[in-house]
């Protein structure tokens, strides 16, 4: 095994012009098969039923609703996010398998919207997790939601929707923003550092002062005791 580990691996560019055809086909299929987890945090959730029902029929575009983060590709945050709710949004995002995408709906996810003066709401969603598409409005109509989803599909097809990698590459920054809002003992059950190593996305910004603070307070998950 040691001899095998010492064998140099040479990365060669593919010269066959047809080599990328299958990759492009896979990206096209992925962009047309989106499982959407709608986290209905605010009033923007009102626009989702008409998006998915007969008049606009989002499913004809390959967008299907999903109720579990474990099987979802797209996280829709639909409206203002309170500090208490943001914890659940981050936990949901971290449970989703990669590649994953975040869509912020309503002006509240952009700059706080009409709640920009509220001490209890987060003002900018992208401070705490990477956001691929913002759909501004108070509230955006179903046509705007469909248009935003089509923009996301195009970004996926062309390989430009890579913000999920930023969460691993710049995890210390995002964790610092979360600790600033939730307190220094904030933690989630997901091993982000382990996932970053798995995907080969460890950078100098993955670890830092905030991850070191997390390691000081982090507790291992223990199974719940069942009592009758």
């Amino acid at each position: 095994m040691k001899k095998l580990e010492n064998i140099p691996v040479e990365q060669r560019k593919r010269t066959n012009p047809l080599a990328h055809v299958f990759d492009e086909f896979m990206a096209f299929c992925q962009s047309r098969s989106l499982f959407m987890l709608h986290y209905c945090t605010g009033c923007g959730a009102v626009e989702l039923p008409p998006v998915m029902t007969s008049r606009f029929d989002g499913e004809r575009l390959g967008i299907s609703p999903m109720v579990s983060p474990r099987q979802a590709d797209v996280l829709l945050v639909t409206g203002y996010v309170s500090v208490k709710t943001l914890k659940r949004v981050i936990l949901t995002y971290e449970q989703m398998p990669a590649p994953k995408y975040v869509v912020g709906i309503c002006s509240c996810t952009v700059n706080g919207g009409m709640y920009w003066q509220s001490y209890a709401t987060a003002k900018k969603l992208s401070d705490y997790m990477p956001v691929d598409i913002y759909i501004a409005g108070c509230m955006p109509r179903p046509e705007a939601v469909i248009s935003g989803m089509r923009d996301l599909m195009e970004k996926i097809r062309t390989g430009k929707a890579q913000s999920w990698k930023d969460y691993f590459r710049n995890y210390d920054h995002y964790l610092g923003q979360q600790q600033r809002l939730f307190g220094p003992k904030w933690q989630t059950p997901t091993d982000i550092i382990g996932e970053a190593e798995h995907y080969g996305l460890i950078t100098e910004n993955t670890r830092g002062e905030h991850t070191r603070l997390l390691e000081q307070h982090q507790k291992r998950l223990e199974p719940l005791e069942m009592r009758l």
Side-chain angles (χ1 to χ4, degrees), residues 138-155:
C138 188
M139 301 165 292
R141 286 184 54 82
E143 297 93 332
V145 177
I146 290 288
S147 178
M149 294 300 293
R150 289 179 68 90
D151 289 343
L152 176 62
M153 293 163 69
E154 182 64 18
K155 289 182 69 174

